Amino acid sequence: MSVNPHQWRRVRASVPVVLGRLLDLVDDAPPDRPATAHWTVADTMAHLCGVAAMGLALVRGAPPDLPVPDLLELRRRTTVDTISVMNAEVLRHFTERRLPALAARLRADVGEVLRAVDEAGPEHEVSWLGGARLPVTGLLAHLLNELNLHAWDIARAVGRRWVVDPADAALFVDLFMVDMTRRGYGRLLDRDGPVHPGTVSVNFRHRFGPEVTMALADGRVTVAPTEPRPDVRLSFDPAVFTLMLFGRVSRPRAVLARKLWVGGRRPWLLPVFLRTMRLPS
């Protein structure tokens, strides 16, 4: 299962660029300004430090440099629905909230992540949350998305505009969502409740990469052969799509802005699919 060289170069180059934009954004930001419903600007930067530290630990195969008891076990048993618990534990024990110190740590740890993935190579695979399998290209795509997503939060908090490059957002879809599904997402998407009977096939299409079909069957999502008549067809602008997946943009707004198009022979099954193939919002 080879990694696309163009995507590897793109994600490797985009992470430091977006990091630089984020650090410029927070340079004079008020640390106590609310950035989300529960986090200040400083909390958000501390969260990003945690993401980078855990990513670095995964690539190096070492415990994260974070003062969180039982973090490895917490990471292993985390699902999409309990990621907020892990994030809260990290922020409770990692108490640094001085923005200059957080910015310096984030810059240093992201630099170490990039050096570590260069040494490991793009085919190197790590065990992510919930036992999901992920190549380091997907790990970088996740880090890139986290930087963009939370920079978007901070920019709104301080009255600035943050533009997510759709080509970068497409990397999250292709290298993280699709590749993790293809390699095996472990128990990351485990959920309670009845399993939908039958199969729901969803075709994903954007202008930065090949279209992909995923299928939900027996409560599990897999990457499936492309179908001529899938249940659902999704065409989307990746920047808006990723913001929508994480609850920053509503589905009606994405549709009305003509950034998301839903079709197919049974488009009403999209919510059924997304109840399993979901992301924290």
Side-chain angles (χ1 to χ4, degrees):
M1 196 178 302
S2 61
V3 171
N4 182 303
H6 169 73
Q7 291 177 318
W8 164 243
R9 289 192 297 269
R10 172 83 196 198
V11 73
R12 175 63 180 78
S14 292
V15 167
V17 171
V18 173
L19 173 65
R21 291 174 56 208
L22 168 63
L23 295 180
D24 287 344
L25 175 68
V26 300
D27 185 52
D28 58 354
D32 295 330
R33 179 76 55 84
T36 69
H38 304 290
W39 292 349
T40 64
V41 170
D43 292 334
T44 302
M45 286 293 289
H47 166 70
L48 288 172
C49 287
V51 171
M54 284 193 278
L56 178 58
L58 286 173
V59 181
R60 286 182 170 171
D65 182 19
L66 292 166
V68 183
D70 302 318
L71 181 56
L72 293 179
E73 174 59 21
L74 183 61
R75 186 176 70 188
R76 185 191 64 80
R77 67 173 186 262
T78 289
T79 69
V80 164
D81 298 326
T82 61
I83 284 177
S84 61
V85 175
M86 186 183 71
N87 288 340
E89 279 297 290
V90 172
L91 291 180
R92 186 162 70 90
H93 293 280
F94 177 54
T95 57
E96 178 63 76
R97 294 296 184 272
R98 294 170 300 160
L99 280 183
L102 291 167
R105 168 151 186 171
L106 185 60
R107 181 186 292 110
D109 278 0
V110 171
E112 287 299 314
V113 169
L114 294 173
R115 280 187 284 275
V117 299
D118 285 345
E119 293 171 4
E123 302 286 350
H124 182 65
E125 192 175 85
V126 301
S127 178
W128 203 63
L129 303 180
R133 304 302 302 177
L134 198 61
V136 294
T137 47
L139 189 75
L140 286 184
H142 174 264
L143 175 59
L144 177 61
N145 185 70
E146 286 284 302
L147 294 172
N148 266 316
L149 184 70
H150 293 297
W152 191 87
D153 291 335
I154 293 170
R156 289 192 69 196
V158 299
R160 304 267 292 277
R161 183 167 179 258
W162 183 268
V163 177
V164 179
D165 189 323
D168 284 348
L171 295 170
F172 177 78
V173 176
D174 297 341
L175 300 181
F176 181 79
M177 288 179 59
V178 174
D179 269 6
M180 183 171 62
T181 303
R182 183 178 285 121
R183 292 170 186 250
Y185 55 75
R187 61 188 305 269
L188 185 66
L189 300 183
D190 285 2
R191 58 184 291 269
D192 296 328
V195 172
H196 178 78
T199 300
V200 179
S201 58
V202 181
N203 179 266
F204 293 81
R205 183 182 301 175
H206 60 76
R207 66 188 178 91
F208 299 97
E211 62 183 78
V212 174
T213 298
M214 294 189 191
L216 169 65
D218 300 322
R220 300 291 294 179
V221 179
T222 58
V223 176
T226 300
E227 291 189 31
R229 296 181 66 244
D231 295 310
V232 184
R233 290 189 185 276
L234 280 183
S235 298
F236 52 88
D237 175 292
V240 174
F241 184 65
T242 52
L243 289 171
M244 184 194 78
L245 288 175
F246 285 93
R248 268 60 176 188
V249 172
S250 70
R251 292 180 201 172
R253 177 181 166 190
V255 171
L256 290 173
R258 301 180 66 82
K259 301 295 185 180
L260 175 71
W261 297 266
V262 183
R265 61 192 179 93
R266 298 195 294 172
W268 58 86
L269 289 178
L270 179 60
V272 173
F273 178 84
L274 291 178
R275 279 199 292 272
T276 297
M277 193 66 191
R278 65 207 185 280
L279 293 168
S281 60

